Coordinates of all heavy atoms in Angstrom, one line a residue:
M1 N -6.3 17.5 -7.3 CA -5.0 16.8 -7.2 C -3.9 17.7 -7.7 O -4.0 18.4 -8.8 CB -5.0 15.5 -8.1 CG -3.7 14.8 -8.1 SD -3.7 13.3 -9.1 CE -3.5 14.0 -10.7
R2 N -2.9 17.8 -7.0 CA -1.7 18.6 -7.4 C -0.9 17.8 -8.4 O -0.8 16.6 -8.3 CB -0.8 18.9 -6.2 CG -1.5 19.9 -5.3 CD -0.7 20.2 -4.1 NE -1.1 19.3 -3.1 CZ -0.5 19.0 -2.0 NH1 0.7 19.5 -1.7 NH2 -1.0 18.2 -1.1
D3 N -0.3 18.5 -9.4 CA 0.5 17.8 -10.4 C 1.9 17.8 -10.0 O 2.7 18.5 -10.6 CB 0.3 18.6 -11.8 CG 0.8 17.8 -12.9 OD1 0.9 16.5 -12.8 OD2 1.1 18.4 -14.0
E4 N 2.2 17.0 -9.0 CA 3.6 16.9 -8.6 C 3.9 15.4 -8.1 O 2.9 14.7 -7.9 CB 3.9 17.8 -7.4 CG 3.0 17.7 -6.3 CD 3.1 18.8 -5.3 OE1 3.0 20.0 -5.6 OE2 3.4 18.5 -4.1
E5 N 5.2 15.1 -8.1 CA 5.5 13.7 -7.6 C 5.3 13.6 -6.2 O 5.4 14.5 -5.4 CB 7.0 13.5 -7.9 CG 7.3 13.4 -9.4 CD 8.8 13.0 -9.7 OE1 9.5 12.6 -8.7 OE2 9.2 13.1 -10.8
L6 N 4.9 12.3 -5.8 CA 4.7 12.0 -4.4 C 6.0 11.3 -3.9 O 6.5 10.3 -4.4 CB 3.6 11.0 -4.3 CG 3.1 10.5 -2.9 CD1 2.6 11.7 -2.1 CD2 2.0 9.5 -3.1
A7 N 6.6 11.9 -2.9 CA 7.8 11.4 -2.3 C 7.5 10.2 -1.4 O 6.7 10.3 -0.4 CB 8.5 12.4 -1.4
V8 N 8.0 9.0 -1.8 CA 7.8 7.8 -1.0 C 9.1 7.0 -0.9 O 10.0 7.2 -1.6 CB 6.7 6.8 -1.7 CG1 5.3 7.5 -1.8 CG2 7.2 6.4 -3.1
T9 N 9.1 6.1 0.1 CA 10.3 5.3 0.3 C 10.3 4.1 -0.7 O 9.2 3.9 -1.4 CB 10.3 4.7 1.7 OG1 9.2 3.8 1.8 CG2 10.2 5.7 2.8
T10 N 11.3 3.4 -0.8 CA 11.4 2.3 -1.7 C 10.3 1.3 -1.4 O 9.7 0.8 -2.3 CB 12.8 1.6 -1.6 OG1 13.8 2.6 -1.9 CG2 12.9 0.5 -2.6
K11 N 10.1 0.9 -0.1 CA 9.1 0.0 0.3 C 7.7 0.5 -0.1 O 6.9 -0.3 -0.5 CB 9.2 -0.4 1.7 CG 10.5 -1.1 2.1 CD 10.6 -2.5 1.5 CE 11.8 -3.2 1.9 NZ 12.2 -4.4 1.1
E12 N 7.5 1.7 0.2 CA 6.2 2.3 -0.1 C 5.9 2.3 -1.6 O 4.8 1.9 -2.1 CB 6.1 3.8 0.4 CG 6.1 3.9 1.9 CD 6.3 5.3 2.3 OE1 6.7 6.2 1.5 OE2 6.0 5.6 3.5
F13 N 6.9 2.5 -2.4 CA 6.8 2.5 -3.9 C 6.5 1.0 -4.3 O 5.6 0.8 -5.1 CB 8.1 2.9 -4.6 CG 8.0 2.9 -6.1 CD1 7.5 3.9 -6.8 CD2 8.4 1.7 -6.7 CE1 7.4 3.8 -8.2 CE2 8.4 1.6 -8.1 CZ 7.8 2.7 -8.8
D14 N 7.2 0.1 -3.7 CA 7.0 -1.3 -4.1 C 5.6 -1.8 -3.7 O 4.9 -2.5 -4.5 CB 8.0 -2.2 -3.4 CG 9.4 -2.0 -3.9 OD1 9.6 -1.4 -5.0 OD2 10.4 -2.5 -3.2
V15 N 5.1 -1.3 -2.6 CA 3.7 -1.7 -2.2 C 2.7 -1.1 -3.2 O 1.8 -1.8 -3.7 CB 3.4 -1.2 -0.7 CG1 1.9 -1.3 -0.5 CG2 4.1 -2.0 0.3
L16 N 2.9 0.2 -3.5 CA 2.0 0.9 -4.5 C 2.1 0.2 -5.8 O 1.0 0.0 -6.5 CB 2.4 2.3 -4.6 CG 1.8 3.3 -3.6 CD1 2.3 4.7 -3.8 CD2 0.3 3.3 -3.6
A17 N 3.2 -0.2 -6.3 CA 3.4 -0.8 -7.6 C 2.7 -2.1 -7.6 O 2.0 -2.5 -8.6 CB 4.9 -1.0 -7.9
L18 N 2.8 -2.9 -6.6 CA 2.1 -4.2 -6.5 C 0.6 -4.1 -6.5 O -0.1 -4.7 -7.2 CB 2.6 -5.0 -5.2 CG 2.0 -6.4 -5.0 CD1 2.3 -7.3 -6.2 CD2 2.6 -7.0 -3.7
L19 N 0.1 -3.1 -5.6 CA -1.3 -2.9 -5.6 C -1.8 -2.4 -6.9 O -2.9 -2.7 -7.4 CB -1.7 -1.9 -4.5 CG -1.5 -2.5 -3.0 CD1 -1.7 -1.4 -2.0 CD2 -2.4 -3.7 -2.8
D20 N -1.1 -1.5 -7.6 CA -1.5 -0.9 -8.8 C -1.5 -1.9 -9.9 O -2.4 -1.9 -10.8 CB -0.6 0.3 -9.2 CG -1.1 1.0 -10.4 OD1 -2.3 1.4 -10.4 OD2 -0.4 1.3 -11.4
A21 N -0.6 -2.9 -9.9 CA -0.6 -3.9 -10.9 C -1.9 -4.7 -11.0 O -2.2 -5.3 -12.1 CB 0.6 -4.8 -10.7
V22 N -2.6 -4.8 -9.9 CA -3.8 -5.6 -9.8 C -4.9 -4.7 -9.3 O -5.8 -5.1 -8.5 CB -3.7 -6.9 -9.0 CG1 -2.8 -7.8 -9.7 CG2 -3.2 -6.5 -7.6
R23 N -4.9 -3.4 -9.7 CA -5.8 -2.4 -9.1 C -7.3 -2.9 -9.1 O -7.8 -3.5 -10.0 CB -5.8 -1.1 -9.9 CG -6.6 0.0 -9.3 CD -6.6 1.2 -10.1 NE -5.2 1.8 -10.2 CZ -5.0 3.0 -10.4 NH1 -5.9 3.9 -10.6 NH2 -3.7 3.4 -10.5
G24 N -7.9 -2.8 -7.9 CA -9.2 -3.2 -7.7 C -9.3 -4.6 -7.1 O -10.3 -5.0 -6.5
A25 N -8.3 -5.4 -7.2 CA -8.2 -6.7 -6.6 C -7.6 -6.6 -5.2 O -6.7 -5.8 -4.9 CB -7.4 -7.7 -7.5
V26 N -8.0 -7.6 -4.3 CA -7.4 -7.6 -3.0 C -6.1 -8.4 -3.0 O -6.0 -9.4 -3.6 CB -8.4 -8.3 -2.0 CG1 -7.7 -8.4 -0.6 CG2 -9.7 -7.6 -2.0
V27 N -5.1 -7.8 -2.4 CA -3.8 -8.4 -2.2 C -3.6 -8.8 -0.8 O -3.8 -7.9 0.1 CB -2.6 -7.5 -2.7 CG1 -1.3 -8.2 -2.5 CG2 -2.8 -7.1 -4.1
S28 N -3.3 -10.0 -0.5 CA -3.3 -10.5 0.9 C -2.0 -9.9 1.6 O -1.0 -9.5 1.0 CB -3.2 -12.0 1.0 OG -1.9 -12.5 0.5
R29 N -2.1 -9.8 2.9 CA -1.0 -9.3 3.7 C 0.2 -10.2 3.5 O 1.3 -9.7 3.4 CB -1.4 -9.3 5.2 CG -2.5 -8.4 5.6 CD -2.9 -8.6 7.0 NE -1.9 -8.3 8.0 CZ -1.6 -7.0 8.4 NH1 -2.3 -6.0 8.0 NH2 -0.6 -6.9 9.2
E30 N 0.0 -11.5 3.4 CA 1.1 -12.4 3.2 C 1.8 -12.2 1.9 O 3.0 -12.3 1.8 CB 0.5 -13.9 3.3 CG 0.0 -14.3 4.7 CD -1.4 -13.8 5.0 OE1 -2.1 -13.3 4.1 OE2 -1.8 -13.8 6.2
Q31 N 1.0 -11.9 0.8 CA 1.5 -11.7 -0.5 C 2.4 -10.4 -0.5 O 3.5 -10.4 -1.1 CB 0.4 -11.6 -1.5 CG 1.0 -11.5 -2.9 CD 1.6 -12.8 -3.4 OE1 1.1 -13.9 -3.2 NE2 2.8 -12.7 -4.0
L32 N 1.9 -9.4 0.2 CA 2.6 -8.1 0.2 C 3.9 -8.3 1.0 O 5.0 -7.9 0.5 CB 1.8 -7.0 0.9 CG 0.7 -6.4 0.1 CD1 -0.3 -5.7 0.9 CD2 1.3 -5.4 -0.9
I33 N 3.9 -9.0 2.1 CA 5.1 -9.2 2.9 C 6.1 -10.0 2.1 O 7.3 -9.7 2.0 CB 4.8 -9.8 4.2 CG1 4.0 -8.8 5.1 CG2 6.1 -10.3 4.9 CD1 3.4 -9.4 6.4
S34 N 5.6 -11.1 1.4 CA 6.5 -12.0 0.6 C 7.1 -11.2 -0.5 O 8.3 -11.4 -0.8 CB 5.6 -13.2 0.1 OG 6.4 -14.0 -0.7
D35 N 6.3 -10.4 -1.3 CA 6.8 -9.8 -2.5 C 7.6 -8.5 -2.2 O 8.6 -8.2 -2.9 CB 5.6 -9.4 -3.4 CG 5.0 -10.6 -4.1 OD1 5.5 -11.8 -3.8 OD2 4.1 -10.5 -4.8
V36 N 7.2 -7.8 -1.2 CA 7.9 -6.5 -0.9 C 9.0 -6.6 0.1 O 10.1 -6.0 -0.1 CB 6.9 -5.4 -0.4 CG1 7.6 -4.1 0.0 CG2 5.8 -5.2 -1.5
W37 N 8.8 -7.4 1.1 CA 9.9 -7.6 2.1 C 10.7 -8.8 1.7 O 11.7 -8.8 1.1 CB 9.4 -7.6 3.5 CG 9.1 -6.2 4.0 CD1 10.0 -5.4 4.7 CD2 7.9 -5.4 3.8 NE1 9.4 -4.2 4.9 CE2 8.1 -4.2 4.4 CE3 6.7 -5.7 3.1 CZ2 7.2 -3.2 4.4 CZ3 5.8 -4.7 3.1 CH2 6.0 -3.4 3.8
D38 N 10.3 -10.0 2.1 CA 11.0 -11.2 1.9 C 10.1 -12.4 2.2 O 9.4 -12.3 3.3 CB 12.3 -11.3 2.7 CG 13.1 -12.5 2.4 OD1 12.6 -13.6 2.3 OD2 14.4 -12.3 2.4
E39 N 10.1 -13.4 1.4 CA 9.2 -14.5 1.7 C 9.6 -15.2 3.0 O 8.8 -16.0 3.6 CB 9.2 -15.5 0.6 CG 10.5 -16.2 0.3 CD 10.5 -17.1 -0.9 OE1 9.7 -16.9 -1.8 OE2 11.4 -17.9 -1.0
N40 N 10.8 -15.0 3.5 CA 11.3 -15.6 4.7 C 11.2 -14.6 5.9 O 11.8 -14.9 6.9 CB 12.7 -16.1 4.5 CG 12.8 -17.2 3.5 OD1 12.0 -18.1 3.5 ND2 13.7 -17.1 2.6
W41 N 10.5 -13.5 5.7 CA 10.4 -12.5 6.8 C 9.7 -13.1 8.0 O 8.6 -13.7 7.9 CB 9.6 -11.3 6.3 CG 9.4 -10.3 7.3 CD1 8.2 -10.1 8.1 CD2 10.3 -9.3 7.8 NE1 8.4 -9.1 8.9 CE2 9.6 -8.5 8.8 CE3 11.5 -8.9 7.4 CZ2 10.2 -7.5 9.4 CZ3 12.1 -7.8 8.0 CH2 11.5 -7.1 9.0
F42 N 10.4 -13.0 9.2 CA 9.8 -13.6 10.4 C 9.5 -12.5 11.4 O 9.2 -12.7 12.5 CB 10.7 -14.6 11.0 CG 10.7 -15.9 10.1 CD1 11.9 -16.2 9.4 CD2 9.6 -16.7 10.0 CE1 11.9 -17.4 8.7 CE2 9.7 -17.8 9.2 CZ 10.8 -18.2 8.5
G43 N 9.7 -11.2 11.0 CA 9.5 -10.1 11.9 C 8.0 -9.8 12.1 O 7.2 -10.5 11.6
S44 N 7.8 -8.7 12.8 CA 6.4 -8.3 13.1 C 5.7 -7.8 11.8 O 6.4 -7.2 10.9 CB 6.4 -7.2 14.1 OG 5.2 -6.5 14.2
T45 N 4.4 -8.0 11.7 CA 3.7 -7.5 10.5 C 3.3 -6.1 10.7 O 2.7 -5.5 9.9 CB 2.4 -8.4 10.2 OG1 1.6 -8.3 11.4 CG2 2.8 -9.8 9.9
K46 N 3.7 -5.5 11.8 CA 3.4 -4.1 12.1 C 4.1 -3.2 11.1 O 3.6 -2.1 10.9 CB 3.8 -3.7 13.6 CG 3.0 -4.4 14.6 CD 1.6 -4.0 14.6 CE 0.8 -4.7 15.8 NZ -0.6 -4.5 15.6
M47 N 5.2 -3.6 10.5 CA 5.8 -2.8 9.5 C 5.0 -2.6 8.3 O 4.9 -1.5 7.7 CB 7.2 -3.3 9.2 CG 7.4 -4.4 8.2 SD 6.1 -5.7 8.2 CE 6.9 -7.0 7.4
L48 N 4.1 -3.6 8.0 CA 3.2 -3.5 6.9 C 2.1 -2.5 7.3 O 1.8 -1.6 6.5 CB 2.6 -4.8 6.5 CG 1.5 -4.8 5.4 CD1 2.0 -4.2 4.1 CD2 0.9 -6.2 5.2
D49 N 1.6 -2.6 8.5 CA 0.6 -1.6 8.9 C 1.1 -0.2 8.9 O 0.4 0.8 8.5 CB 0.0 -2.0 10.3 CG -0.7 -3.3 10.3 OD1 -1.3 -3.7 9.3 OD2 -0.5 -4.1 11.3
A50 N 2.3 0.0 9.4 CA 2.9 1.3 9.4 C 3.1 1.9 8.0 O 2.9 3.0 7.8 CB 4.3 1.3 10.2
T51 N 3.6 1.0 7.1 CA 3.8 1.4 5.7 C 2.5 1.8 5.1 O 2.4 2.9 4.4 CB 4.4 0.3 4.9 OG1 5.7 0.0 5.5 CG2 4.6 0.7 3.5
M52 N 1.4 1.1 5.3 CA 0.1 1.4 4.8 C -0.4 2.7 5.4 O -1.0 3.5 4.7 CB -0.9 0.3 5.1 CG -0.7 -0.9 4.3 SD -0.7 -0.6 2.5 CE -0.6 -2.2 1.8
G53 N -0.2 2.9 6.6 CA -0.6 4.2 7.3 C 0.1 5.4 6.7 O -0.6 6.4 6.4
R54 N 1.4 5.3 6.5 CA 2.1 6.4 5.8 C 1.7 6.6 4.4 O 1.5 7.8 4.0 CB 3.6 6.1 5.9 CG 4.3 6.3 7.2 CD 5.8 6.2 7.1 NE 6.3 5.1 6.4 CZ 6.6 3.9 6.9 NH1 6.4 3.6 8.2 NH2 7.1 2.9 6.1
L55 N 1.5 5.5 3.7 CA 1.0 5.7 2.3 C -0.4 6.3 2.2 O -0.6 7.2 1.4 CB 0.9 4.3 1.6 CG 2.2 3.8 0.9 CD1 2.0 2.4 0.4 CD2 2.6 4.7 -0.2
R56 N -1.3 5.9 3.0 CA -2.6 6.5 3.0 C -2.5 8.0 3.3 O -3.2 8.8 2.7 CB -3.5 5.8 4.1 CG -4.0 4.5 3.7 CD -4.9 3.9 4.7 NE -5.5 2.7 4.2 CZ -5.5 1.5 4.9 NH1 -5.0 1.4 6.1 NH2 -6.1 0.5 4.3
Q57 N -1.7 8.3 4.3 CA -1.6 9.7 4.7 C -1.0 10.5 3.5 O -1.5 11.6 3.1 CB -0.7 9.9 5.9 CG -0.6 11.3 6.3 CD 0.2 11.5 7.6 OE1 0.8 10.5 8.1 NE2 0.3 12.7 8.2
K58 N 0.0 10.0 2.8 CA 0.6 10.7 1.7 C -0.3 10.9 0.5 O -0.4 11.9 -0.1 CB 1.9 10.0 1.3 CG 3.1 10.1 2.3 CD 4.3 9.3 1.9 CE 5.4 9.5 2.9 NZ 6.6 8.8 2.4
L59 N -1.1 9.8 0.3 CA -2.0 9.8 -0.8 C -3.1 10.8 -0.5 O -3.6 11.6 -1.4 CB -2.6 8.4 -1.1 CG -1.7 7.4 -1.7 CD1 -2.3 6.0 -1.7 CD2 -1.3 7.8 -3.1
D60 N -3.6 10.9 0.7 CA -4.7 11.8 1.1 C -4.2 13.2 1.0 O -4.8 14.1 0.5 CB -5.1 11.4 2.5 CG -6.3 12.3 2.9 OD1 -7.3 12.3 2.2 OD2 -6.3 12.9 4.0
E61 N -3.0 13.5 1.6 CA -2.4 14.8 1.6 C -2.2 15.4 0.2 O -2.3 16.6 0.0 CB -1.2 14.9 2.4 CG -1.4 14.8 3.9 CD -0.1 14.7 4.7 OE1 1.0 14.6 4.2 OE2 -0.3 14.7 6.0
S62 N -1.8 14.5 -0.7 CA -1.5 14.9 -2.1 C -2.8 14.9 -3.0 O -2.7 15.3 -4.1 CB -0.5 14.0 -2.7 OG -1.1 12.7 -3.0
E63 N -3.9 14.6 -2.4 CA -5.2 14.5 -3.1 C -5.1 13.6 -4.3 O -5.6 13.9 -5.4 CB -5.7 15.9 -3.5 CG -5.9 16.8 -2.3 CD -6.3 18.2 -2.6 OE1 -6.4 18.5 -3.8 OE2 -6.4 19.0 -1.7
A64 N -4.4 12.5 -4.1 CA -4.2 11.5 -5.2 C -5.6 10.9 -5.6 O -6.5 10.8 -4.8 CB -3.3 10.4 -4.7
P65 N -5.7 10.5 -6.9 CA -7.0 10.0 -7.4 C -7.2 8.5 -7.0 O -8.1 7.9 -7.5 CB -6.8 10.2 -8.9 CG -5.4 10.0 -9.1 CD -4.7 10.7 -7.9
V66 N -6.4 8.0 -6.1 CA -6.5 6.6 -5.6 C -6.4 6.6 -4.1 O -6.0 7.5 -3.5 CB -5.4 5.7 -6.2 CG1 -5.5 5.6 -7.7 CG2 -4.0 6.2 -5.8
R67 N -6.9 5.5 -3.6 CA -6.8 5.3 -2.2 C -6.7 3.8 -1.9 O -7.1 3.0 -2.7 CB -8.0 5.9 -1.4 CG -9.3 5.2 -1.7 CD -10.5 5.8 -1.0 NE -10.4 5.6 0.4 CZ -11.4 5.9 1.2 NH1 -12.5 6.5 0.8 NH2 -11.3 5.6 2.5
I68 N -6.1 3.5 -0.7 CA -5.9 2.1 -0.3 C -6.9 1.8 0.7 O -7.1 2.5 1.7 CB -4.5 1.9 0.3 CG1 -3.4 2.2 -0.7 CG2 -4.3 0.5 0.9 CD1 -2.0 2.3 -0.1
T69 N -7.7 0.7 0.4 CA -8.7 0.3 1.4 C -8.3 -1.1 2.0 O -7.5 -1.8 1.4 CB -10.1 0.1 0.7 OG1 -10.0 -0.8 -0.4 CG2 -10.6 1.4 0.2
T70 N -8.7 -1.3 3.2 CA -8.5 -2.5 3.9 C -9.7 -3.5 3.7 O -10.8 -3.0 3.9 CB -8.2 -2.3 5.4 OG1 -7.1 -1.4 5.5 CG2 -8.0 -3.6 6.1
V71 N -9.4 -4.7 3.4 CA -10.4 -5.7 3.4 C -10.1 -6.6 4.6 O -9.2 -7.4 4.6 CB -10.4 -6.6 2.1 CG1 -11.5 -7.6 2.1 CG2 -10.6 -5.7 0.9
R72 N -10.9 -6.3 5.6 CA -10.6 -6.9 6.9 C -10.5 -8.4 6.9 O -11.3 -9.2 6.3 CB -11.7 -6.6 7.9 CG -11.4 -6.9 9.3 CD -12.5 -6.4 10.3 NE -12.2 -6.8 11.6 CZ -11.8 -6.0 12.5 NH1 -11.6 -4.7 12.3 NH2 -11.5 -6.4 13.7
G73 N -9.4 -8.9 7.5 CA -9.1 -10.3 7.5 C -8.5 -10.9 6.2 O -8.2 -12.1 6.1
V74 N -8.4 -10.0 5.2 CA -7.9 -10.5 3.9 C -6.6 -9.8 3.4 O -5.6 -10.4 3.3 CB -9.0 -10.4 2.8 CG1 -8.5 -11.0 1.5 CG2 -10.2 -11.1 3.2
G75 N -6.7 -8.5 3.2 CA -5.6 -7.7 2.8 C -6.0 -6.3 2.4 O -6.8 -5.7 3.0
F76 N -5.4 -5.8 1.3 CA -5.5 -4.4 0.9 C -5.8 -4.3 -0.6 O -5.5 -5.2 -1.3 CB -4.2 -3.6 1.2 CG -3.8 -3.7 2.6 CD1 -3.0 -4.6 3.1 CD2 -4.3 -2.7 3.5 CE1 -2.6 -4.7 4.5 CE2 -4.0 -2.7 4.9 CZ -3.1 -3.7 5.3
R77 N -6.5 -3.2 -1.0 CA -6.9 -3.0 -2.3 C -6.6 -1.6 -2.7 O -6.9 -0.7 -1.9 CB -8.3 -3.4 -2.5 CG -8.9 -3.0 -3.8 CD -10.4 -3.5 -4.0 NE -11.2 -3.3 -2.8 CZ -12.1 -4.1 -2.4 NH1 -12.3 -5.3 -2.9 NH2 -12.8 -3.8 -1.3
L78 N -6.1 -1.3 -3.9 CA -6.0 0.1 -4.4 C -7.2 0.3 -5.3 O -7.5 -0.4 -6.2 CB -4.7 0.2 -5.2 CG -4.3 1.6 -5.7 CD1 -4.0 2.5 -4.5 CD2 -3.2 1.6 -6.7
E79 N -7.9 1.4 -5.0 CA -9.1 1.8 -5.8 C -9.0 3.2 -6.2 O -8.3 4.0 -5.6 CB -10.3 1.7 -4.8 CG -10.6 0.3 -4.3 CD -11.7 0.3 -3.3 OE1 -12.0 1.4 -2.7 OE2 -12.3 -0.8 -3.1
D80 N -9.7 3.5 -7.3 CA -9.8 4.9 -7.7 C -10.6 5.6 -6.6 O -11.6 5.1 -6.1 CB -10.6 5.0 -9.1 CG -9.8 4.4 -10.2 OD1 -8.5 4.4 -10.1 OD2 -10.4 3.9 -11.2
A81 N -10.2 6.8 -6.3 CA -10.8 7.6 -5.2 C -12.3 7.7 -5.4 O -13.1 7.7 -4.5 CB -10.2 8.9 -5.0
A82 N -12.8 7.9 -6.7 CA -14.2 8.0 -7.0 C -15.0 6.8 -6.7 O -16.1 6.9 -6.3 CB -14.4 8.4 -8.4
D83 N -14.3 5.6 -6.7 CA -15.0 4.4 -6.4 C -15.0 4.0 -4.9 O -15.7 3.2 -4.5 CB -14.3 3.2 -7.2 CG -14.4 3.3 -8.7 OD1 -15.2 4.1 -9.1 OD2 -13.6 2.7 -9.4
A84 N -14.1 4.7 -4.2 CA -13.9 4.3 -2.8 C -15.1 4.8 -1.9 O -15.8 5.6 -2.3 CB -12.6 4.8 -2.3

């Protein structure tokens, strides 16, 4: 892992902060959208998938000690890379 900051957008940071606050636990797609975007969001959920894709790529490229995993049909979880 390189010892440098990871450049992320505000939404990416908010997603990471939410996942990190309950590291190891699954956070539902609905909870992420409600907490990070807006509980009244009626747009496509593709923005969540795109955000997760960018975050995964950034975490991988930076050799971060964590990774985001998908729990199919439920949501996402932040795990220590050694546990993933």
Side-chain angles (χ1 to χ4, degrees):
M1 177 179 84
R2 291 178 263 165
D3 191 23
E4 56 189 56
E5 289 185 13
L6 182 64
V8 295
T9 67
T10 301
K11 295 295 184 195
E12 291 168 347
F13 179 86
D14 291 345
V15 167
L16 277 175
L18 179 58
L19 291 173
D20 188 50
V22 293
R23 188 180 296 202
V26 178
V27 179
S28 71
R29 296 173 62 83
E30 294 79 14
Q31 188 67 46
L32 282 162
I33 291 169
S34 175
D35 288 0
V36 175
W37 279 268
D38 183 317
E39 63 185 24
N40 297 313
W41 175 263
F42 292 110
S44 169
T45 60
K46 294 293 182 191
M47 80 326 197
L48 177 58
D49 296 324
T51 300
M52 288 302 187
R54 286 190 311 270
L55 272 173
R56 284 184 171 129
Q57 182 176 8
K58 289 176 180 183
L59 291 171
D60 186 52
E61 289 174 353
S62 70
E63 300 175 4
V66 295
R67 68 184 286 190
I68 297 171
T69 58
T70 301
V71 179
R72 191 176 177 106
V74 182
F76 301 92
R77 171 175 45 220
L78 186 68
E79 301 175 335
D80 293 330
D83 295 343

